[in-house]
Amino acid sequence: MINIFDLNYDISNEDIRQIEKISRLRRKGFAYGLSRIIYFLVQSLLQFRINLFCFKRGHVNFVVGSKNQYRAMSPVQREIGGQFVSITPNYRLKNSKYYPTFIAFIISLPFFPLLLYYYTFEQSKYRRKSMRVMPDRYFQAFGLTILNKILLRVFPPSLIVFSNDHCVWQRSLLREAKRLGIKTAYIQHAHVSRSFPLLEFDVSFLDGDKAMAAY
């Protein structure tokens, strides 16, 4: 069974309560959430995010989902080499490989009734709210899980470098990399708190003693 809440740690965790901290999301509901699924599905198609060859077999692959993550990883990439893989549908990095998020969306389509099932029987009011407002994140969890099983088995990198440990794209990829024994590393890109998930990477580079104490 796919744990869509663990994979979406950032928006499902009741200690972080991220949905309630973002003012533009506080009064949103089903209509807004459904529009997000449609928007990111279309966006992924228009950006041709269909490249099944995004990971380079036997090489270092840096998965990046934001400008801040890129800034944290780019000095390391310049030193050791390797390629960037733009993993989130709303971040575009020039000269990077695009992760096939459109294909992940398509794979997820048959699981939409299961998503509704999860919502119907979820007891946490906060989690139900997060599923109404950002269902695209939970929806993608199904396709990402299946797609990563294929991609990492056919094109296993020698090392995957992350700069995020709490969003669905990275957590899904990390889960499969660990299952297949692919080496992983983490480079911190922002402040962290004790509400963040436990580190599960082979090597983690943290920004000082405060970050280490928080983890």
Side-chain angles (χ1 to χ4, degrees):
M1 184 68 72
I2 297 173
N3 189 337
I4 62 173
F5 299 111
D6 177 70
L7 294 179
N8 283 282
Y9 191 96
D10 57 333
I11 60 173
S12 69
N13 186 274
E14 295 190 71
D15 291 328
I16 299 176
R17 305 187 81 83
Q18 183 173 332
I19 299 296
E20 296 178 352
K21 294 177 181 178
I22 302 175
S23 58
R24 62 183 174 83
L25 298 179
R26 289 173 186 165
R27 296 186 179 182
K28 301 297 183 182
F30 277 118
Y32 172 80
L34 183 59
S35 72
R36 285 179 59 97
I37 294 178
I38 297 171
Y39 174 79
F40 287 118
L41 174 62
V42 173
Q43 183 188 58
S44 295
L45 177 60
L46 294 178
Q47 292 180 4
F48 297 105
R49 291 182 179 267
I50 57 175
N51 182 15
L52 292 174
F53 304 94
C54 61
F55 293 112
K56 194 169 184 179
R57 183 186 180 98
H59 288 71
V60 179
N61 288 253
F62 294 79
V63 291
V64 58
S66 71
K67 184 180 294 185
N68 287 339
Q69 292 174 32
Y70 170 75
R71 288 173 176 170
M73 292 191 287
S74 57
V76 180
Q77 189 270 344
R78 287 195 295 268
E79 289 292 329
I80 70 173
Q83 70 167 14
F84 280 102
V85 178
S86 179
I87 198 169
T88 58
N90 59 344
Y91 180 67
R92 303 176 69 176
L93 176 62
K94 187 178 180 180
N95 297 324
S96 70
K97 299 291 185 180
Y98 281 0
Y99 182 91
T101 51
F102 177 73
I103 295 178
F105 270 112
I106 297 302
I107 294 174
S108 296
L109 287 175
F111 294 93
F112 192 76
L114 184 56
L115 182 65
L116 296 178
Y117 173 85
Y118 275 116
Y119 176 81
T120 302
F121 291 98
E122 175 55 42
Q123 299 298 311
S124 166
K125 291 183 178 180
Y126 171 75
R127 282 185 171 181
R128 285 169 62 89
K129 179 179 180 179
S130 72
M131 293 181 76
R132 290 195 301 271
V133 175
M134 302 185 80
D136 55 298
R137 297 282 193 94
Y138 294 101
F139 181 62
Q140 288 179 77
F142 301 103
L144 289 170
T145 297
I146 295 171
L147 186 56
N148 285 331
K149 289 180 181 297
I150 298 170
L151 295 180
L152 293 189
R153 184 172 292 278
V154 178
F155 307 106
S158 60
L159 171 69
I160 303 178
V161 183
F162 299 79
S163 193
N164 178 290
D165 64 344
H166 51 269
C167 292
V168 64
W169 305 279
Q170 288 88 351
R171 288 183 70 78
S172 174
L173 188 65
L174 175 62
R175 286 285 179 272
E176 189 59 24
K178 287 170 61 66
R179 195 180 72 84
L180 295 176
I182 297 172
K183 295 297 183 182
T184 60
Y186 169 70
I187 300 174
Q188 183 183 344
H189 81 277
H191 293 298
V192 298
S193 73
R194 295 183 182 275
S195 297
F196 275 54
L198 295 175
L199 291 171
E200 302 179 55
F201 306 92
D202 293 302
V203 181
S204 298
F205 299 94
L206 303 181
D207 187 19
D209 293 337
K210 288 185 177 180
M212 185 174 179
Y215 276 115

